């Protein structure tokens, strides 16, 4: 039960306990007229201050990040643009921990708690200069990849514990440009190639994080260090070398028990958006794990509204958040699909008395959705076979299918360095993938596994059993320095996987990018002329 408000403005207990507000939901065209901070203390006497909840709305992020008995909250006063009249005061500038400019007859800076200075100006018919949204991000390493948003360099002055990531205001002036209703199409390059970088297990946190198992180029242990900056630097180097056409984040973008999911997510995608690369994502078991972590639905909403995002929450009637597919088209202006990429939610860890850990399997509704989508696309392609004799399809998810741990698996590239952690119940999604002709599956989750493998299969042709390889099962490897990258006391370098389609000849290649290594690692041809091949076996023969 809340006690008093140690008020840095005028507020009531009712206002302090008001639910989170989405400003655009409360007000279709909001304009900020003021802001302030209040401290909620569980021990002080009740407050008699009043606040009009129709005007003041709380940004639902404890500025102490739930580390103190008291909590601090940013409140924003909103007005509707359509209801403004001449002379109404609007917020036009915000400074933090900086002496305000010299006061003039036209400008009067006002002090607010937390080291905030605000400048308000009379409404003159336009809101181009007015502040329309205010947000809070956390950490000295915080970034805001949203267009037109300005993240304050200085942190709010809150006297929080030293280890608590600092709170920083981010401000939007004017109206954010609306995202187009239709997303830009993915297209192969002029040479028919299309490159994907798969980034798995970044494990970002709120604040800088800690890396406990990094090694140098020679494999020697390095001392503990800040983690997330190393992860960002690693991702940036790979993107600059590969210059991919698409990034696919295959889950555990966030570590477990993250105190502000939005701040951590922004650090993952900022290097991608800065380079103008389209991206898509699936969730892992840790992304929504923890009492303060945002739900998958909320995280997907954040991702969908970012520039260059191709993320999709998927059909509501299908289990999970983020079951969708992307099509890679021929060069413009053609609408001919040359490849299909399926992304699925592999859910989370579940309680089990027998298997520890254990995970939810791919659900039947997801399998049915995939089969229906695959067959519908095949029927369309059959009308245009002469235009595209090779159509390659890949699947991406976080938690590996049970077949990744099959004892009969033939590992043809990379290493198994730890046991596969997959659902104990096999829902036979692999069988549906094989039947639908999927070329390869890319996953994450088991950080130090980085192999590509085939599961021996046979089909009958004219009553004779014939080897039928595929699909390839490939781990992405761990990219995050805040995640474990060691097993049995042995440490390994961080890595990512690259996929390259050549739609002219129906081929699929893959390789890895590994710390300190200049060249491609374990480059492997997976598909030739549209058919999955066992490269090593072909060479042996």
């Amino acid at each position: 039960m809340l006690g008093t408000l140690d008020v840095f403005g005028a507020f009531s207990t009712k206002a302090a306990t008001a639910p989170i507000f989405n400003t655009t939901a409360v007000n279709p065209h909001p304009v900020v007229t003021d802001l302030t901070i209040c401290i909620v203390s569980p021990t002080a006497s009740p407050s008699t201050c009043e606040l009009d909840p129709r005007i003041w709305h709380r940004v639902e992020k404890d500025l102490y990040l739930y580390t103190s008995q008291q909590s601090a909250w940013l409140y924003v006063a909103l007005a509707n643009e359509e209801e403004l009249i001449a002379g109404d005061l609007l917020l036009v500038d915000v400074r933090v921990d900086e002496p305000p400019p010299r006061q003039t007859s036209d400008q009067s800076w006002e002090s607010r708690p937390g080291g905030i200075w605000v400048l308000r100006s009379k409404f003159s018919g336009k809101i181009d200069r007015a502040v329309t949204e205010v947000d809070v991000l956390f950490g000295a390493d915080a970034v805001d990849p949203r267009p037109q948003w300005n993240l304050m360099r200085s942190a709010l002055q809150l006297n929080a514990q030293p280890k608590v990531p600092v709170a920083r205001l981010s401000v939007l002036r004017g109206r954010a440009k609306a995202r187009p209703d239709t997303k830009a199409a993915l297209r192969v390059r002029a040479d028919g190639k299309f490159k994907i970088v798969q980034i798995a297990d970044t494990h970002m946190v709120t604040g800088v994080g800690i890396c406990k198992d990094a090694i140098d180029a020679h494999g020697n242990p390095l001392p503990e260090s800040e983690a997330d900056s190393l992860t960002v630097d690693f991702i940036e180097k790979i993107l600059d070398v590969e210059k991919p056409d698409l990034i696919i984040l295959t889950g555990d973008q966030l570590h477990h028990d993250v105190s502000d999911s939005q701040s951590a997510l922004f650090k993952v995608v900022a290097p991608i958006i800065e380079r103008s690369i389209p991206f898509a994502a699936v969730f892992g078991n840790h992304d929504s794990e923890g009492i303060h972590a945002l739900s998958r639905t909320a995280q997907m909403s954040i991702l969908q509204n970012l520039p260059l995002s191709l993320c999709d929450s998927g059909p509501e009637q299908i289990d999970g958040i983020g079951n969708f597919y992307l099509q890679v088209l021929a060069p413009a202006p053609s609408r001919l699909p040359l490849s299909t990429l399926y992304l699925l939610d592999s859910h989370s860890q579940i309680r089990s008395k027998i298997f520890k850990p254990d995970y939810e399997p791919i659900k039947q509704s997801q399998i049915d959705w995939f089969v229906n989508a695959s067959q519908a696309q095949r029927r369309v392609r059959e009308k245009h076979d002469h235009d595209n004799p090779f159509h390659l399809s890949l699947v991406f998810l976080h938690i590996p299918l049970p077949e990744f741990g099959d004892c009969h698996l033939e590992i043809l590239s990379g290493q198994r360095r730890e046991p596969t952690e997959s659902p104990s119940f096999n829902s036979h999604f692999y069988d549906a993938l094989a039947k639908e002709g999927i070329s390869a599956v890319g996953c994450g989750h088991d950080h130090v596994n980085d192999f590509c493998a085939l599961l021996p299969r046979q089909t009958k042709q004219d009553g004779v059993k014939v080897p039928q390889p595929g699909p390839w099962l490939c781990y992405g490897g761990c990219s995050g320095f805040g995640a474990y990258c060691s097993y049995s006391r042995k440490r390994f370098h961080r890595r990512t996987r690259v996929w390259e389609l050549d739609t002219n000849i129906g081929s699929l290649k893959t390789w890895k990018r590994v710390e300190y290594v200049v060249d491609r690692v374990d480059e492997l041809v997976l598909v030739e002329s549209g058919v999955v091949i066992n490269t090593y076996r072909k060479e042996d023969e």
Side-chain angles (χ1 to χ4, degrees):
M1 181 177 180
L2 294 177
T4 190
L5 298 177
D6 180 6
V7 181
F8 287 161
F11 297 95
S12 68
T13 304
K14 179 179 180 181
T17 58
I20 184 172
F21 284 92
N22 180 317
T23 56
T24 55
V26 172
N27 212 324
H29 300 100
V31 183
V32 178
T33 61
D34 204 353
L35 56 82
T36 193
I37 294 173
C38 75
I39 306 293
V40 181
S41 171
T43 57
S45 59
S47 170
T48 58
C49 298
E50 292 295 331
L51 173 70
D52 188 343
R54 295 171 299 177
I55 299 174
W56 289 91
H57 307 287
R58 187 169 88 176
V59 176
E60 197 69 7
K61 297 182 178 184
D62 177 11
L63 302 179
Y64 291 131
L65 286 176
Y66 318 101
T67 60
S68 173
Q69 288 187 340
Q70 62 184 8
S71 56
W73 306 93
L74 175 69
Y75 280 84
V76 180
L78 297 176
N80 191 335
E81 179 184 351
E82 281 74 16
E83 297 175 358
L84 294 174
I85 60 175
D88 284 347
L89 288 176
L90 305 182
L91 193 64
V92 295
D93 203 357
V94 182
R95 305 281 178 89
V96 176
D97 193 27
E98 296 179 19
R102 185 168 56 87
Q103 305 284 5
T104 67
S105 58
D106 298 330
Q107 292 186 335
S108 179
W109 287 85
E110 305 169 62
S111 176
R112 295 290 182 266
I116 299 173
W117 291 89
V118 299
L119 177 63
R120 298 195 293 170
S121 180
K122 292 181 180 180
F123 176 60
S124 60
K126 294 183 179 180
I127 63 162
D128 296 349
R129 293 178 55 241
V131 174
T132 53
E133 291 189 59
V134 182
D135 203 351
V136 182
L137 298 175
F138 294 87
D141 62 338
V143 292
D144 196 334
R146 295 173 292 186
Q148 303 170 246
W149 284 79
N150 177 34
L151 178 63
M152 304 282 110
R153 287 178 297 191
S154 298
L156 296 174
Q157 299 173 8
L158 299 168
N159 297 318
Q161 298 175 19
K163 292 185 178 180
V164 178
V166 296
R168 299 163 62 187
L169 296 184
S170 194
V171 175
L172 174 68
R173 289 182 178 84
R175 286 280 166 251
K177 295 179 181 178
R179 288 200 64 192
D181 293 334
T182 57
K183 299 174 182 177
L186 295 173
R187 294 186 180 277
V188 300
R189 302 174 185 179
D191 61 1
K193 293 183 178 180
F194 189 86
K195 185 187 292 184
I196 302 165
V197 168
Q198 176 192 349
I199 300 176
D201 296 280
T202 53
H203 281 261
M204 293 290 196
V205 298
T206 309
V208 296
I210 182 169
C211 178
K212 300 181 179 181
D213 61 1
I215 52 179
D216 64 18
H218 305 289
N220 300 311
L222 293 173
E224 290 187 357
S225 62
E226 294 180 355
D228 286 3
S229 59
L230 294 176
T231 303
V232 170
D233 182 62
F234 180 53
I235 291 172
E236 288 179 333
K237 288 178 179 177
I238 291 168
L239 300 186
D240 291 340
V241 169
E242 292 293 353
K243 296 178 173 53
D245 303 293
L246 175 68
I247 304 294
I248 296 184
L249 303 167
T250 50
D252 281 1
Q253 284 75 249
L254 310 187
H255 203 50
H256 57 78
D257 299 303
V258 169
S259 50
D260 185 61
S261 302
Q262 184 183 30
S263 296
L265 265 180
F266 280 177
K267 290 190 290 185
V268 178
V269 299
I272 303 170
I273 294 173
E274 287 171 4
R275 288 160 176 78
S276 299
I277 305 171
F279 70 94
V282 295
F283 293 122
N285 51 297
H286 289 308
D287 285 306
S288 54
E289 188 177 65
I291 59 175
H292 300 300
L294 290 179
S295 67
R296 279 160 143 75
T297 300
Q299 290 186 44
M300 182 59 75
S301 178
I302 290 172
L303 291 170
Q304 284 179 284
N305 285 296
L306 290 173
L308 301 161
S309 172
L310 300 175
C311 300
D312 196 320
S313 57
E316 291 185 3
Q317 69 274 23
I318 308 302
D319 288 287
I321 302 297
N323 302 295
F324 62 105
Y325 64 84
L326 304 172
Q327 291 192 314
V328 181
L329 306 181
S334 173
R335 300 299 301 174
L336 178 68
L338 302 180
S339 177
T340 305
L341 312 173
Y342 296 91
L343 294 88
L344 292 95
D345 186 354
S346 55
H347 312 295
S348 301
Q349 187 171 336
I350 57 175
R351 291 184 179 182
S352 173
K353 295 181 179 180
I354 302 174
F355 301 96
K356 295 182 179 181
D358 199 1
Y359 303 91
E360 288 188 81
I362 297 296
K363 303 299 182 67
Q364 189 60 47
S365 66
Q366 294 174 284
I367 298 173
D368 293 342
W369 165 80
F370 160 75
V371 171
N372 291 336
S374 175
Q375 293 181 355
Q377 292 172 59
R378 181 182 296 110
R379 287 192 293 270
V380 172
R381 291 198 303 273
E382 287 173 351
K383 300 178 182 178
H384 306 280
D385 273 350
H386 61 284
D387 296 324
N388 178 28
F390 312 116
H391 187 96
L392 305 181
S393 297
L394 288 76
V395 167
F396 294 94
L397 72 175
H398 178 68
I399 297 175
L401 302 176
E403 284 75 12
F404 275 79
D406 194 293
C407 62
H408 300 293
L409 202 66
E410 295 182 2
I411 296 176
L412 303 176
S413 174
Q415 301 293 324
R416 181 193 295 281
R417 301 185 179 97
E418 63 177 313
T420 290
E421 285 190 0
S422 60
S424 62
F425 176 78
N426 193 337
S427 59
H428 300 290
F429 184 40
Y430 175 90
D431 296 339
L433 299 178
K435 185 176 181 180
E436 291 301 314
I438 295 297
S439 298
V441 179
C443 75
H445 189 60
D446 299 326
H447 295 188
V448 298
N449 288 341
D450 67 351
F451 63 74
C452 275
L454 287 171
L455 187 62
R457 297 173 56 246
Q458 291 183 332
T459 59
K460 282 189 176 182
Q461 294 183 8
D462 299 326
V464 179
K465 291 185 177 180
V466 178
Q468 180 66 47
W472 283 93
L473 304 177
C474 297
Y475 278 102
C478 176
S479 65
F481 285 77
Y484 79 88
C485 201
S486 56
Y487 193 77
S488 295
R489 299 184 179 180
K490 185 173 182 180
R491 301 183 181 189
F492 303 95
H493 291 116
R494 269 68 183 181
R495 60 201 62 214
T496 63
R497 181 167 295 282
V498 184
W499 308 79
E500 186 178 66
L501 296 152
D502 188 333
T503 58
N504 286 335
I505 60 174
S507 77
L508 173 64
K509 291 195 297 186
T510 187
W511 60 88
K512 289 170 290 193
R513 286 292 179 182
V514 181
E515 278 185 276
Y516 304 110
V517 181
V518 175
D519 298 325
R520 299 174 177 181
V521 175
D522 290 338
E523 186 169 357
L524 184 67
V525 177
L526 307 178
V527 177
E528 286 183 348
S529 300
V531 178
V532 169
I533 62 167
N534 184 331
T535 307
Y536 285 8
R537 178 171 293 173
K538 181 178 179 180
E539 291 176 353
D540 292 341
E541 293 173 353

